[in-house]
Amino acid sequence: MANSAQARKRARQALKQRAHNASLRTAFRTAVKKVLKAVEAGDKAAAREVFQVSVKVLDRIADKGVFHKNKAARHKSRLSAQIKAMAA
């Protein structure tokens, strides 16, 4: 356990930041799942709209450093490829 006042404060801050990062990770995964669900539904126009919203979420979370930027780029690329592969 933390012995100094500074260490106790840093422990409190770390707990708060961990909870915040956990909610951001959840938002990231939810955004990806929304696009996958739209792709499975088969509506290409709806999938594109959901993808546009999700891209903003993925980029914002990657900019905060919760996930690496390459991970966000990889997800965006794969989701985009799935949308393009859908029958028009």
Side-chain angles (χ1 to χ4, degrees):
M1 187 61 204
N3 289 322
S4 66
Q6 175 189 6
R8 284 191 294 272
K9 181 178 179 180
R10 291 300 294 164
R12 285 194 310 270
Q13 290 175 331
L15 283 176
K16 285 177 71 174
Q17 191 60 45
R18 182 170 175 260
H20 185 253
N21 285 344
S23 70
L24 292 176
R25 278 193 297 275
T26 302
F28 185 100
R29 294 184 188 121
T30 302
V32 171
K33 287 178 188 174
K34 282 182 182 177
V35 177
L36 291 175
K37 188 174 181 182
V39 168
E40 288 175 9
D43 187 2
K44 193 168 187 174
R48 279 189 185 141
E49 289 178 23
V50 174
F51 178 71
Q52 290 298 324
V53 174
S54 294
V55 163
K56 294 176 185 176
V57 173
L58 300 183
D59 285 336
R60 187 175 68 242
I61 293 172
D63 284 341
K64 293 177 187 293
V66 177
F67 283 114
H68 197 278
K69 289 182 186 240
N70 289 358
K71 179 179 175 75
R74 181 174 66 243
H75 279 278
K76 290 188 298 185
S77 175
R78 289 178 181 170
L79 293 172
S80 176
Q82 286 183 351
I83 292 172
K84 287 181 182 176
M86 291 175 69

